[in-house]
Amino acid sequence: METKCLVYPAAMEFLTTKHMPEITVDHKQVQVQTLFSLPNEETPPVTKTELYMVTDESSPKKPQPQLITIIKTPCQSSQAEDKSSSTVLCSQVSERPLIMDDPITRIKISRAALSGPCSENMVIEAINNLQSICTRTPYNKVDIQSAGLLPLLIKFLEYKSKNIRSSALELLRLLVEDDENAKEVIGRTLDLSIIIRMLSSRHKAVRYESLLFLLELSRSQPLCKKIGLIPGGILMLISIKYDHRPGNSFSSVKADEILRNLESCSENIKCMAESGLFVPLVDHLIKGSDETQIEMASYLGDIILGEYSQKYVAQRASPVLLKLIRRGNVAARKSAFRALAQISSYHPNTKILLEAGIMLIMANELFTTRNHHESKTEAAVILANVLESGVEPEKVQVNTHGHTMCSDYVVYNIFCMLRNSNPDELNVTLIRIMSCLTKSSKSTATIVSVVKETEEAIYTLIELINNPREEVRVAAMKLLIELAPFMGHTLCERLCKTRGQPENLIEYPNSDTIRITKKQAVSVNFLSKLPHDNLTLNLALLSRNVVPKILESIYLMQTNGMLTTRDTDYYLEGLVGILVRFTSTLYQPQVMLLAMDNSLTSVFTELLIKTSSNEIKRLSAMGLENLSSQTVNLSKAPQSEKPKLTKVSSLRRSLSFSSSKGKRAPVCPVHRGICSSDKTFCLIEAKAVEGLLHCLRNEKAEVVEAALSAICTLIDEKLDLEESVKMLSQWNAIDYVLKVINENKHEGSRQKLFWMIDMFFENGGVDISRNRMLRPTLMNAIDNGDVNISQIAEKILRQCCN
């Protein structure tokens, strides 16, 4: 009978020595020291494993334990002690057999081996010995645990040997199987993060055993929570679950089983959702108890949904959440509102929510029911989210009477709510809804109609910009900016009647710490977007002396190296827009004097050249157009000119703007009089023409249109057209114009561009006819242009041929 026998030196402390036969192993004569004393009786045939202490007597070193294979044969023992030894050769051992099959003794011997310094093979053999004991009866597991082997085995989990770790994991799994007490001990003594780290081991056996061990531990409710608290543990299990590479099917299945066990703890479900696995959360939301549904809905409101999970959650969770709102208690409704607000914030979910009937329920909550302000706020947020996704308001029904979001029923209700004392958060959301409605022409017409019919509505809107909370003020002014094109003059009149307005809307930056807030930027742009030709507002601003302060702020922002941000750029655009609005009412003497004293022509020219903002370029070109249109009336013949010495403001000197103080300007060939940039707003004297021509190359059609309109003020019938064309030709203006036409990007300006070409031909066409780009441009316009452009192109072409 061939048997592998492991020798344990440490067992000497509790076993006695009696039998010492000699054998020959590997052609060496060694002594075999028995580790157990047998009774004086006849020994039965050898059928069990025997343990020996093997020492090499010929070695001077300390005896080392080793694993040997011996051949044991049964024999009858004699009563004589002189027959207790014999000599054999490798294949056979003739001795008195020793039987050791007592589990307690084997456990003690294994514990002794695992406690001291041992080789890898010895440790593995000891663990295997314990595994064989475990599989016999459940009571043996208790004996192993009582012997204190669990801490020893846990220690081996951090050994470098992969074989030892996998064997220790397997034994631990057997010990804790169906044993809550053993699992409790593991929970107290084992750092579970060690097991989580083993899940990513390169050693296949270690990975598999760690999964099986973790699966067994996950069947314990107390350990489920501990496993879920391990940083990255659930995320790693999710990664293994969805790793479908060849050879990973076992790991994937076991990881899925572990995750299902971990679902018994609600915190783990939340952690899974935060890691991207929403199936457990949604399943418990749909099938769970009332308490579980509230908890899951609360989690949905807290967790930021990923792009790939948004649609899944919306499809499965929305009907349940809406049901909780209709029939649930206060806690259920609150959780459901928050979850739906989260889901509706992802705009692709809008179609799913509309099909679930969310708008009817939210509109009813907002306008009909007498619920707490908190639920109304959440309902308003959901409505705003859905509307901001781009849905057409006129197609969204809000009640069973056929009213839609663009009906006066909705607008009146919103204005009534804004007029009442509501929480600021609710007011902000109501304003968001109104802003969404302004994106539709039909709903905008309804809002304008309601405002004009109801004096309280316009009063409510203007009062909101004085709200102490910044968020409300910003939202209100954004709404008013949207409404300005439709009811701007009404807003201007109401604004000027409000205490502290309009000057309080302009907040100037501090020279020490220049920082522009969103409120400052939106406020000045609100003033900028109101109708520029409203004289009441312009005079109100003029009387508050805002222009010098605006110019000072522009200079400060340009010279102090202010960090460019979105709010900073928007603020600067608003300041320039306020300056432009004065150029629309130059017929008023005070405004005309204001433009002269502050040399607005030079200001706009400098802004046009130095800024990189397309909006500021557009506004500056608009301002130059308005100013240049007055030059023909302001420029006088030399004999009638009476120069006056005027003081130049310190602000203009600091801005280095050009001035004609004390100088007699030459006669302008275009305007046939004495011109200057500050007194007659002459574009030529201000050196603005070249900057305007460069704007014709801009990508934005609005900038090109504004620059072209400003240039066209120099080709007026009241001017000397030949001189004007000659002057423009010096800057190759016709090349700029032809390039704009050929790029075919600005259809709105094409008729004006061809009109300019016609004016060039009529006032000096010899030079222009030599341009290589002209003939193909004209032919294309005749073939593809509208009636007016085709007629102008044919006229020019005939002149070219003559």
Side-chain angles (χ1 to χ4, degrees):
M1 181 178 183
E2 183 176 315
T3 308
K4 287 187 176 181
C5 301
L6 185 62
V7 185
Y8 299 93
M12 288 296 297
E13 61 186 61
F14 60 89
L15 295 177
T16 60
T17 302
K18 184 175 181 181
H19 219 71
M20 300 182 62
E22 292 183 353
I23 63 172
T24 300
V25 178
D26 294 335
H27 303 287
K28 283 187 178 182
Q29 189 173 22
V30 297
Q31 289 184 335
V32 179
Q33 186 175 4
T34 60
L35 302 182
F36 200 80
S37 58
L38 297 174
N40 294 326
E41 59 184 30
E42 187 176 348
T43 305
V46 175
T47 57
K48 303 295 183 180
T49 301
E50 297 179 20
L51 300 174
Y52 298 93
M53 168 72 77
V54 179
T55 60
D56 187 351
E57 295 293 341
S58 63
S59 175
K61 298 181 181 179
K62 185 178 179 180
Q64 296 293 323
Q66 52 186 294
L67 185 67
I68 65 173
T69 302
I70 62 174
I71 304 298
K72 299 179 289 181
T73 59
C75 64
Q76 298 295 327
S77 63
S78 63
Q79 301 295 328
E81 291 193 355
D82 58 338
K83 295 183 180 180
S84 63
S85 63
S86 63
T87 302
V88 296
L89 294 175
C90 287
S91 62
Q92 169 177 329
V93 176
S94 178
E95 59 170 309
R96 184 182 180 120
L98 306 175
I99 299 178
M100 187 175 295
D101 195 27
D102 179 35
I104 300 298
T105 303
R106 292 174 63 185
I107 292 170
K108 289 180 180 180
I109 294 173
S110 297
R111 187 185 189 286
L114 296 176
S115 300
C118 303
S119 67
E120 178 179 339
N121 288 338
M122 291 175 61
V123 172
I124 292 174
E125 188 66 24
I127 292 175
N128 290 342
N129 182 46
L130 292 171
Q131 287 178 5
S132 67
I133 296 172
C134 282
T135 55
R136 293 190 177 182
T137 62
Y139 301 104
N140 291 346
K141 295 183 183 181
V142 178
D143 294 335
I144 293 174
Q145 295 170 27
S146 302
L149 278 166
L150 285 179
L152 284 176
L153 292 171
I154 289 172
K155 177 187 68 175
F156 285 105
L157 295 180
E158 300 190 70
Y159 263 45
K160 293 183 179 179
S161 172
K162 298 173 182 177
N163 294 327
I164 291 178
R165 280 185 285 159
S166 62
S167 297
L169 283 168
E170 184 179 0
L171 179 54
L172 283 170
R173 174 173 57 82
L174 292 173
L175 290 173
V176 302
E177 202 170 54
D178 302 324
D179 191 335
E180 289 298 321
N181 292 330
K183 291 175 183 177
E184 184 179 349
V185 174
I186 290 292
R188 290 198 307 266
T189 57
L190 174 61
D191 182 2
L192 294 176
S193 62
I194 297 173
I195 310 300
I196 296 298
R197 288 198 299 270
M198 288 183 178
L199 296 178
S200 58
S201 174
R202 295 182 179 180
H203 191 49
K204 186 176 181 180
V206 173
R207 287 201 311 272
Y208 284 8
E209 289 299 336
S210 59
L211 277 168
L212 291 172
F213 182 46
L214 195 62
L215 175 60
E216 187 59 42
L217 295 179
S218 67
R219 295 188 174 107
S220 169
Q221 179 68 24
L223 287 181
C224 274
K225 188 171 184 180
K226 284 192 173 184
I227 295 172
L229 292 175
I230 300 173
I234 287 179
L235 180 59
M236 180 170 288
L237 289 168
I238 293 172
S239 301
I240 297 172
K241 169 184 168 70
Y242 289 104
D243 185 358
H244 299 303
R245 290 178 296 177
N248 287 338
S249 57
F250 175 84
S251 299
S252 177
V253 170
K254 296 306 173 185
D256 181 60
E257 291 179 20
I258 295 170
L259 289 169
R260 290 182 183 277
N261 291 338
L262 295 180
E263 289 178 23
S264 60
C265 177
S266 60
E267 289 295 328
N268 291 342
I269 296 176
K270 182 180 181 182
C271 187
M272 292 176 197
E274 290 172 339
S275 300
L277 182 62
F278 282 88
V279 176
L281 190 151
V282 176
D283 285 345
H284 282 74
L285 174 66
I286 296 173
K287 303 174 184 177
S289 62
D290 293 344
E291 184 178 349
T292 300
Q293 286 184 327
I294 295 173
E295 192 173 17
M296 296 301 109
S298 176
Y299 289 160
L300 271 182
D302 295 334
I303 299 170
I304 298 176
L305 302 177
E307 181 178 352
Y308 297 104
S309 56
Q310 288 276 6
K311 185 176 180 180
Y312 171 81
V313 173
Q315 285 177 332
R316 296 198 62 202
S318 297
V320 181
L321 295 172
L322 291 173
K323 182 179 178 181
L324 288 176
I325 289 176
R326 291 196 302 267
R327 303 177 184 176
N329 54 30
V330 175
R333 284 167 52 84
K334 181 179 179 181
S335 299
F337 271 123
R338 291 182 59 202
L340 285 170
Q342 171 79 271
I343 294 170
S344 63
S345 64
Y346 184 64
H347 292 165
N349 287 336
T350 299
K351 183 178 179 181
I352 298 171
L353 295 173
L354 290 175
E355 291 174 352
I358 194 170
M359 297 301 279
L360 285 170
I361 297 172
M362 295 303 115
N364 181 65
E365 289 287 334
L366 185 61
F367 301 134
T368 306
T369 60
R370 296 182 179 181
N371 293 319
H372 193 268
H373 285 309
E374 187 175 355
S375 63
K376 288 185 177 294
T377 301
E378 295 291 354
V381 168
I382 295 168
L383 280 174
N385 288 342
V386 173
L387 291 172
E388 285 174 347
S389 68
V391 65
E392 298 179 22
E394 57 270 19
K395 294 183 179 180
V396 178
Q397 189 171 339
V398 295
N399 60 23
T400 56
H401 301 294
H403 292 136
T404 64
M405 282 301 300
C406 64
S407 64
D408 53 0
Y409 164 80
V410 172
V411 177
Y412 271 115
N413 272 288
I414 292 176
F415 274 122
C416 288
M417 294 181 72
L418 287 172
R419 189 168 62 249
N420 298 329
S421 298
N422 292 318
D424 290 336
E425 188 177 355
L426 176 56
N427 284 336
V428 169
T429 311
L430 291 172
I431 295 171
R432 278 179 60 197
I433 294 174
M434 293 287 283
S435 297
C436 293
L437 295 180
T438 60
K439 302 298 188 296
S440 164
S441 58
K442 187 174 181 180
S443 53
T444 299
T446 304
I447 294 172
V448 173
S449 174
V450 170
V451 170
K452 289 183 177 180
E453 291 176 5
T454 311
E455 185 177 351
E456 290 182 350
I458 186 66
Y459 176 80
T460 300
L461 288 174
I462 296 298
E463 280 300 312
L464 285 173
I465 67 176
N466 290 326
N467 192 286
R469 185 171 174 179
E470 182 174 328
E471 189 178 3
V472 178
R473 296 176 65 180
V474 170
M477 284 185 286
K478 285 183 177 180
L479 173 61
L480 292 173
I481 288 173
E482 296 290 339
L483 294 175
F486 308 99
M487 46 185 296
H489 290 288
T490 304
L491 293 175
C492 288
E493 298 300 324
R494 182 69 245 182
L495 182 66
C496 292
K497 294 177 181 179
T498 304
R499 179 179 298 180
Q501 301 299 350
E503 66 275 9
N504 286 344
L505 290 173
I506 308 176
E507 297 182 31
Y508 305 101
N510 191 314
S511 58
D512 297 327
T513 56
I514 302 178
R515 179 180 175 275
I516 302 301
T517 65
K518 179 177 287 189
K519 183 188 72 173
Q520 289 175 295
V522 174
S523 297
V524 295
N525 273 275
F526 170 49
L527 284 177
S528 171
K529 303 296 183 184
L530 290 172
H532 288 179
D533 59 348
N534 188 275
L535 185 59
T536 303
L537 179 57
N538 289 352
L539 290 177
L541 291 170
L542 188 149
S543 65
R544 270 70 169 188
N545 199 32
V546 300
V547 172
K549 295 178 183 178
I550 289 175
L551 292 174
E552 185 177 357
S553 298
I554 293 173
Y555 171 75
L556 187 65
M557 295 175 70
Q558 289 182 331
T559 58
N560 277 24
M562 178 184 290
L563 181 65
T564 301
T565 64
R566 183 180 299 178
D567 291 334
T568 303
D569 292 341
Y570 195 43
Y571 178 76
L572 187 57
E573 291 170 7
L575 292 181
V576 176
I578 294 173
L579 292 178
V580 172
R581 69 176 304 110
F582 290 104
T583 65
S584 298
T585 53
L586 291 170
Y587 59 85
Q588 213 285 335
Q590 289 179 273
V591 178
M592 177 70 77
L593 185 61
L594 174 77
M596 292 179 177
D597 289 345
N598 292 279
S599 191
L600 291 186
T601 311
S602 298
V603 172
F604 291 133
T605 300
E606 188 169 346
L607 289 169
L608 184 76
I609 296 171
K610 291 184 177 181
T611 187
S612 59
S613 167
N614 287 326
E615 180 62 15
I616 292 178
K617 287 181 181 293
R618 184 187 73 84
L619 290 169
S620 299
M622 285 178 57
L624 290 172
E625 177 193 359
N626 294 337
L627 291 167
S628 179
S629 63
Q630 299 295 319
T631 306
V632 66
N633 301 322
L634 296 173
S635 180
K636 302 298 182 182
Q639 61 269 20
S640 63
E641 182 71 22
K642 295 181 181 180
K644 295 182 181 180
L645 297 179
T646 59
K647 293 184 178 181
V648 182
S649 66
S650 59
L651 173 62
R652 287 169 50 198
R653 287 197 299 271
S654 65
L655 285 169
S656 301
F657 291 152
S658 60
S659 172
S660 62
K661 177 184 176 183
K663 293 183 181 181
R664 181 181 179 85
V667 175
C668 176
V670 175
H671 297 102
R672 304 190 189 100
I674 297 176
C675 286
S676 66
S677 62
D678 54 350
K679 296 302 178 183
T680 66
F681 316 131
C682 180
L683 298 184
I684 302 170
E685 289 294 321
K687 298 180 175 55
V689 177
E690 190 173 4
L692 290 169
L693 288 172
H694 280 296
C695 286
L696 296 181
R697 295 178 176 175
N698 197 284
E699 292 292 326
K700 295 292 184 180
E702 297 84 359
V703 177
V704 174
E705 176 70 25
L708 192 60
S709 298
I711 294 170
C712 286
T713 59
L714 298 175
I715 317 176
D716 190 272
E717 293 179 354
K718 298 178 182 179
L719 308 179
D720 190 329
L721 291 178
E722 290 186 3
E723 289 295 329
S724 180
V725 169
K726 182 179 178 181
M727 180 270 299
L728 290 173
S729 297
Q730 293 175 359
W731 283 297
N732 299 319
I734 195 62
D735 291 336
Y736 287 95
V737 171
L738 290 174
K739 188 172 182 180
V740 173
I741 294 174
N742 289 329
E743 288 178 352
N744 201 29
K745 292 181 179 179
H746 311 294
E747 290 294 329
S749 306
R750 286 178 68 83
Q751 186 166 344
K752 190 174 291 186
L753 289 166
F754 278 99
W755 174 80
M756 283 187 66
I757 295 174
D758 187 29
M759 296 300 291
F760 268 77
F761 259 105
E762 291 181 355
N763 298 278
V766 176
D767 293 332
I768 193 173
S769 62
R770 297 176 184 175
N771 192 296
R772 295 180 180 180
M773 297 171 59
L774 180 60
R775 188 176 296 273
T777 301
L778 294 173
M779 293 298 295
N780 183 58
I782 292 172
D783 294 337
N784 302 313
D786 60 25
V787 176
N788 294 330
I789 292 176
S790 296
Q791 290 176 353
I792 297 174
E794 288 178 4
K795 176 183 175 184
I796 298 171
L797 192 59
R798 284 194 300 269
Q799 293 177 2
C800 287
C801 296
N802 293 334

